[in-house]
Structure formats: C-alpha cells, structure tokens
Amino acid sequence: MAPSATSADIQSPASITVKSPVIPESKDHATGLTKSASYPNPLTYSGTLDSYEFFDVTSVIGREFPKLQLTEILHDDDKIKDLAILVSQRGVVFFRNQDIGIEDQKVLGQKLGEFTGKPTTSKLHRHALSNSKRGIAVDEHGKLDDEVSVISSEVKDYAILKIIQVPEDAGGDTLWASGYEAFDRLSPTWQRFAENLTATHYQPNFNKVAAEHSLELIDADRGAPENTGLDFTASHPMVRTNPVTGWKSLFGTGHQVHAGWIDNVTETESEIIKAYFLKLIAENHDLQVRFRWTKNDVAIWDNRSVFHTATNDYEGKRQGNRVVSLGEKPFYDPASKSRREALGL
Ligand SMILES: O=C(O)CCC(=O)C(=O)O
C-alpha cells in the first residue's frame, strides 16, 4: 500500500512522538494496579458479540457487522471490551450506516483503550495539526473539537473513523494492511533480524505544512504526557507486540518511517530495509482489506498492528470524523508470538 498522496496526517499518532521503546505500564484488571516491570498478558474475547450477524472480510484482516448499531452496545462494558479485543485481533472492524454522534464516538474511543488496559495517562489524541484550529466543524451545529480530526477532501491505538459524506462520483475507499501477517510472511531468519531492529519514525510534514500556511501546531497536551514537542521523531521497535492479542506485528514501515530511518545501520542498508518492508505491505494484496464507504459507515482499527491509506481517486466532496484513543509506548516482548503461531495456522 503506497503512502497516501494527500495526507500529511495519515499517521499512527501514538507512534510518532514517544521518545523510546520501553516496557509499558499496564493496568492489571484483577488488582487495578499499574505494573511496569512485566509485559501485559493478552486478553481473551468472551463471545458477547457472537449473537450479532458478522462476517470476516478476508481471512487475515477485517470483520464487518452489517446490522449492529454501536450505540446499542456503548453502555455494555463487556461488549465494548470484546469489541476492542476483536478489533485488535482482526485489525479493523466495519459497521454500516451508524447513528453514533461525535460525543459518543469519543466515549467509545476512550472506553476501547481503557477496557483493554491502556495507561491511565493516555486519553484521546489531540492532533498537532489536524485540530480545531483548522476551523472545520465536527457537526452540523458548528462545534469545534481538538479531540476530533476532521478528514476532509476540501482542505489516525484505536482509531474510529465515521465517514459522513461520500463522494458523489465513486472512490475514496480506504485500505488497511495487516502488520501481523506481514511479520508472518518473513522468513524465520528475517523475523529474528527484524526483532533486533529499531526504527526512527519521523514526520517532517507537520512543521512544513504549518510553516507554509502560518499555522500553529499544538506542542503539549496532545493526549498523553509523552506526546509533546515539535520534532516528531521517536525510535521504536521494528517488531511491536500488541498488548491485547500478544501478537507480533511489523511496525516500523510505511508512511511513518518514509522520512525516518532504521537505527544503527548504514544509510544504504536503511533504505534497502525500508523499501523491502514497504513492498511487503504494499504489494501483497492478500494481507490487505479494502473498504468501500457508504454514508455514515464506521471503521475502527488498531493502529498498533495495521497500516492504512485513503485513496485519492474521486472528484466530489468526502468528509468524516476521526477519534483516536492513545495507547501505550510501543514495546517488543521477546516471549510474544506471531499471529499464525498463536492461532496454530
Ligand atoms: O480518509 C481515510 O479514508 C483515512 C483517513 C486517515 O488516514 C485516518 O483517519 O487516519
């Protein structure tokens, strides 16, 4: 999947400003205590959503609930927790023609992270650039909100995107690629190699766009205490363990390292590694899922373990609201398993 031509903010926000990969803090649900000296245990889906009609869009990524309204389950904590686990397992989950409003979209975003043990200090993301200062309302009453990024053709753990206007012509699909499956496609030798790499994620476009258009970037209080500053660089493990599933995912590739680099190798080696990992997610269409939006559809995905891009192939107006729940600092647990290994595939 090639990086979007249009988007300066197509990022995993949790991944671009955190300073170093460390063992995460996580909340133990049994004791309510925060533990920082060990890796979290994966969570188990309890089956509370099985009574709703659903289908898997591909074998490795994507599930759709064609009839379920998110507002029906919003106040059922067991179902929301199960939903978060499903999103982490399937990468992205789709819902059609949703009546959820922006305030409930925010409640959902925060709950998805909280119920799966995100640090208590991680809230909803406030995007450095794509925030209320752009003056784009999130609803019909003209409401401006820093915790919502308006995705507009006219002027990103869990991300919830509701598309409220689809292009009148056609197109504007979104594609997601599975980082779990990308890791599983590597040879064992390259898997061990990747597990020992870190990459510096770097996003120079925010400062560039801000300078070009005389915009002010938010440099503090972007939803988590670590998420500050305007250099937009962070070194992260190349292979990230998803704390919810416990599965390994290829992480340091795609748009977020386009301007970045692989640490501790030569520049040439860095470019070769980046190019190969990008090829892996962009050219294997059988680890991707493509979603054709209709009005008021919602997609929820886990930015720790999937890559995504919009498709800029339409003429008409397209608009949506995105809420992102910030998670933990990226980490790699050497004892974690690949998805295929964990599922016995
Ligand atoms: O517009 C889309 O389809 C995707 C937007 C996007 O990149 C995001 O929400 O992070």
Side-chain angles (χ1 to χ4, degrees):
M1 186 180 318
S4 162
T6 53
S7 179
D9 65 351
I10 183 168
Q11 287 290 321
S12 162
S15 68
I16 58 173
T17 50
V18 176
K19 299 303 173 199
S20 61
V22 295
I23 297 172
E25 285 189 346
S26 69
K27 202 165 95 189
D28 183 313
H29 288 285
T31 63
L33 297 175
T34 296
K35 48 177 188 173
S36 56
S38 61
Y39 296 105
N41 294 321
L43 303 176
T44 307
Y45 171 70
S46 77
T48 60
L49 298 174
D50 285 354
S51 56
Y52 299 94
E53 183 181 329
F54 71 86
F55 60 90
D56 286 343
V57 188
T58 78
S59 60
V60 300
I61 179 171
R63 174 168 294 189
E64 180 169 330
F65 286 89
K67 301 206 174 120
L68 174 60
Q69 282 293 336
L70 288 163
T71 48
E72 273 176 43
I73 62 167
L74 186 61
H75 301 292
D76 184 326
D77 294 357
D78 294 336
K79 287 185 179 170
I80 296 299
K81 182 174 177 184
D82 262 356
L83 173 59
I85 297 170
L86 274 184
V87 171
S88 294
Q89 291 177 345
R90 298 297 309 160
V92 56
V93 179
F94 306 110
F95 304 86
R96 296 287 183 184
N97 195 20
Q98 296 293 299
D99 59 15
I100 193 167
I102 193 61
E103 291 306 321
D104 279 348
Q105 194 174 331
K106 288 170 56 173
V107 170
L108 177 61
Q110 184 60 18
K111 283 187 175 187
L112 288 172
E114 260 177 35
F115 293 172
T116 45
K118 76 174 184 173
T120 51
T121 47
S122 290
K123 309 293 180 194
L124 295 181
H125 183 235
R126 295 169 78 227
H127 197 284
L129 186 61
S130 181
N131 53 52
S132 69
K133 291 198 176 73
R134 297 195 304 170
I136 311 178
V138 302
D139 65 15
E140 63 282 15
H141 308 297
K143 182 178 186 320
L144 299 175
D145 192 328
D146 274 344
E147 291 178 334
V148 179
S149 289
V150 178
I151 307 293
S152 173
S153 59
E154 292 193 324
V155 243
K156 123 201 103 59
D157 325 354
Y158 295 102
I160 310 174
L161 177 62
K162 177 173 180 177
I163 290 289
I164 55 176
Q165 181 163 2
V166 290
E168 275 174 24
D169 40 349
D173 297 356
T174 305
L175 286 86
W176 288 262
S178 170
Y180 298 135
E181 182 66 12
F183 178 80
D184 269 319
R185 299 278 169 102
L186 294 171
S187 64
T189 302
W190 267 71
Q191 289 182 343
R192 300 297 85 78
F193 173 57
E195 285 165 358
N196 284 296
L197 293 173
T198 61
T200 295
H201 299 222
Y202 177 37
Q203 177 48 279
N205 282 341
F206 298 161
N207 282 306
K208 184 167 170 281
V209 171
E212 279 169 7
H213 300 276
S214 305
L215 301 170
E216 198 187 329
L217 293 168
I218 297 183
D219 69 351
D221 191 17
R222 289 200 298 257
E226 302 88 345
N227 201 356
T228 55
L230 296 179
D231 62 342
F232 302 110
T233 59
S235 177
H236 293 312
M238 172 59 75
V239 177
R240 180 175 186 175
T241 302
N242 186 307
V244 177
T245 56
W247 301 342
K248 297 173 190 176
S249 174
L250 193 66
F251 182 57
T253 185
H255 193 61
Q256 51 199 347
V257 292
H258 177 68
W261 54 89
I262 310 301
D263 302 327
N264 306 313
V265 298
T266 67
E267 199 175 329
T268 307
E269 289 166 345
S270 174
E271 289 306 310
I272 290 169
I273 296 166
K274 277 169 53 179
Y276 177 57
F277 288 156
L278 179 60
K279 186 179 164 84
L280 200 60
I281 61 167
E283 294 186 12
N284 285 296
H285 62 271
D286 54 355
L287 55 71
Q288 302 170 1
V289 63
R290 178 172 184 141
F291 188 62
R292 178 163 193 193
W293 299 92
T294 54
K295 187 176 166 60
N296 290 331
D297 292 343
V298 166
I300 309 178
W301 65 95
D302 187 333
N303 265 321
R304 293 171 284 220
S305 310
V306 296
F307 305 89
H308 72 280
T309 188
T311 310
N312 187 18
D313 62 347
Y314 55 92
E315 301 283 337
K317 184 177 173 190
R318 177 181 185 274
Q319 189 158 319
N321 290 325
R322 186 194 63 203
V323 168
V324 174
S325 177
L326 291 184
E328 75 292 343
K329 293 181 183 180
F331 69 97
Y332 167 65
D333 174 0
S336 56
K337 294 185 173 167
S338 87
R339 172 182 165 275
R340 285 180 174 268
E341 195 182 2
L343 296 180
L345 298 172

